[in-house]
Amino acid sequence: MEYLVSVIIPIYKVEKYLERCVSSIVGQIYNNLEIILVDDGSPDNCPAMCDEWASKDARIRVIHQENGGLSAARNRGIDIAQGEFICFIDSDDYVEVTMIEDMVRAQKKHDVKLVLTNFRSINEDGTRAFAREQSPIRAGVYEAKEIFPRLYEYLNWYYVVAWNKLYHRSIFEELRFPVGKIHEDEYVISQVLWKAEKIACLEDEEYNYAFKRPGAIMAESQKIRYHFLFEALEGRHNFYLDKKLFSEAEATRHHYFGELEKLACINVDRGGLNDMQWQQAKKRYASFRCKSRREKIYWFLFMINPKLEYYGTRMLRLIFGRLNIETVIRRLH
């Protein structure tokens, strides 16, 4: 039996790339598709292009709506999707013709609710952005708890992004992307993995991601990303505690605190955070429950002097090797 797969494509100011994107979906070897084009109030020729595509392919459905942002467009697509599985494609990207078929095959083979495929980063002209992608994704089937730690490792965004995945519709039965947020996938990835329970990962590069395209949301949002990142991490931390995933909550706190350290001691403009946002970011961390004694000591030192904490604790670790900071402080006294 061939599942119906709903492919949701949010569209805004991408007339230069839209033909390439939609063509790559229409041309999929896997044919049982519902292709939902969500025109998010695009002011260019995209609305007309969407309607033209719908007139040529009966599998295509078009929604025209006022501009609400990427999350609102994805959510609208989820609301009307009829497929057993859902796939998100960004409209400036494109995919290999075998992508959906390979993901569906992996889903059936391993009986999972989530399949994650590898991708390559491309320049505006379609050439590779990197000679070698250095992706952390490796083929296999993993429990959600095996993926959670990878959300904080180098190149973690390969796991976080929404668009390289095939989701069972039950994952979004109650879940939606937060409207008005930047890096909206950071807010939902933990819930997605938890609901999936098992994840099949494909190592082949079947998604082509437009890396740092001029005007792209990802490129433009880097200057304001930290405010939303801290907010997303707070929600993730509370989710883990609610599910009694204490090691995952601890990893989230460590990551959050590490970002605070970098902004206070390394980043010259504090990541673009204004004074109010900076104070809010610190208050969030202060309110985190279940901090260990070590975390409380680090936080106490940070509040006295961030650079003293950042460079001092690293120097102590260098001097005392594997001794933890509590032991070091006791010895100094």
Side-chain angles (χ1 to χ4, degrees):
M1 178 185 70
E2 280 201 341
Y3 300 122
L4 177 65
V5 175
S6 296
V7 181
I8 299 171
I9 308 176
I11 295 165
Y12 185 74
K13 294 174 67 173
V14 288
E15 62 178 300
K16 181 177 179 180
Y17 310 96
L18 186 58
E19 187 79 14
R20 180 182 68 179
C21 175
V22 179
S23 294
S24 73
I25 301 301
V26 169
Q28 288 291 300
I29 293 175
Y30 192 88
N31 187 61
N32 195 20
L33 303 176
E34 173 190 47
I35 305 170
I36 302 174
L37 307 182
V38 185
D39 162 34
D40 191 40
S42 187
D44 54 10
N45 197 42
C46 285
M49 295 174 69
C50 290
D51 292 336
E52 183 179 356
W53 267 110
S55 69
K56 296 188 293 185
D57 194 316
R59 299 174 299 171
I60 295 178
R61 303 172 63 185
V62 177
I63 298 173
H64 299 288
Q65 66 179 30
E66 292 185 7
N67 179 249
L70 182 57
S71 289
R74 283 181 181 157
N75 291 343
R76 184 70 184 280
I78 294 170
D79 290 341
I80 70 165
Q82 298 178 356
E84 184 75 9
F85 286 85
I86 293 172
C87 182
F88 302 106
I89 308 293
D90 280 3
S91 49
D92 51 354
D93 301 335
Y94 64 99
V95 300
E96 301 301 311
V97 296
T98 56
M99 187 188 80
I100 294 178
E101 181 178 80
D102 288 344
M103 289 200 294
V104 170
R105 183 185 296 115
Q107 184 282 321
K108 291 181 178 179
K109 178 180 179 181
H110 301 293
D111 189 25
V112 295
K113 293 182 180 179
L114 181 65
V115 180
L116 184 155
T117 190
N118 212 341
F119 63 88
R120 66 174 63 88
S121 302
I122 57 170
N123 296 312
E124 191 174 9
D125 60 2
T127 58
R128 294 187 73 107
F130 310 106
R132 184 171 177 271
E133 195 71 34
Q134 294 186 331
S135 170
I137 297 173
R138 296 295 177 265
V141 180
Y142 305 91
E143 300 289 334
K145 288 186 178 182
E146 296 179 84
I147 301 294
F148 285 142
R150 303 181 189 185
L151 302 182
Y152 305 112
E153 295 174 353
Y154 180 58
L155 298 176
N156 62 326
W157 64 291
Y158 280 74
Y159 294 98
V160 173
V161 291
W163 34 255
N164 63 336
K165 300 173 177 67
L166 181 74
Y167 309 80
H168 190 269
R169 66 177 297 110
S170 63
I171 291 176
F172 289 101
E173 187 174 359
E174 298 177 353
L175 185 64
R176 292 294 185 273
F177 293 97
V179 176
K181 308 295 184 182
I182 302 297
H183 297 284
E184 68 294 328
D185 33 25
E186 294 273 11
Y187 287 78
V188 302
I189 183 60
S190 294
Q191 292 95 315
V192 166
L193 295 172
W194 178 255
K195 286 174 174 287
E197 297 182 0
K198 290 194 306 180
I199 301 93
C201 293
L202 306 180
E203 202 163 342
D204 291 341
E205 297 173 330
E206 301 221 59
Y207 190 102
N208 297 285
Y209 161 63
F211 181 73
K212 292 186 177 180
R213 175 181 67 80
I217 293 176
M218 182 75 81
E220 294 296 316
S221 65
Q222 293 305 310
K223 296 178 181 178
I224 58 174
R225 67 180 291 267
Y226 281 102
H227 173 65
F228 295 99
L229 174 62
F230 286 136
E231 186 177 82
L233 289 175
E234 179 186 33
R236 191 184 298 175
H237 177 263
N238 294 336
F239 172 79
Y240 288 145
L241 288 183
D242 289 344
K243 298 299 182 183
K244 301 187 185 306
L245 301 171
F246 298 113
S247 62
E248 287 77 10
E250 181 180 20
T252 305
R253 291 195 302 272
H254 288 176
H255 185 72
Y256 192 112
F257 187 66
E259 294 295 335
L260 284 178
E261 287 181 317
K262 287 192 295 184
L263 294 187
C265 304
I266 299 175
N267 197 311
V268 292
D269 67 347
R270 213 162 54 193
L273 296 180
N274 59 39
D275 289 340
M276 183 178 69
Q277 291 170 333
W278 175 242
Q279 294 303 321
Q280 186 179 32
K282 291 192 293 184
K283 286 180 180 179
R284 282 198 178 102
Y285 182 81
S287 69
F288 281 171
R289 296 171 287 154
C290 301
K291 288 196 286 289
S292 67
R293 182 178 179 182
R294 180 190 63 184
E295 291 174 290
K296 291 176 181 177
I297 292 173
Y298 285 174
W299 179 239
F300 176 75
L301 295 174
F302 183 89
M303 291 302 291
I304 294 174
N305 187 312
K307 291 187 177 181
L308 169 66
E309 182 278 327
Y310 183 77
Y311 294 107
T313 56
R314 280 156 180 76
M315 180 62 69
L316 289 175
R317 282 199 293 268
L318 183 64
I319 295 173
F320 289 90
R322 295 185 178 181
L323 293 176
N324 61 42
I325 190 64
E326 298 98 317
T327 304
V328 169
I329 291 174
R330 284 198 298 270
R331 289 193 176 190
L332 289 177
H333 281 79

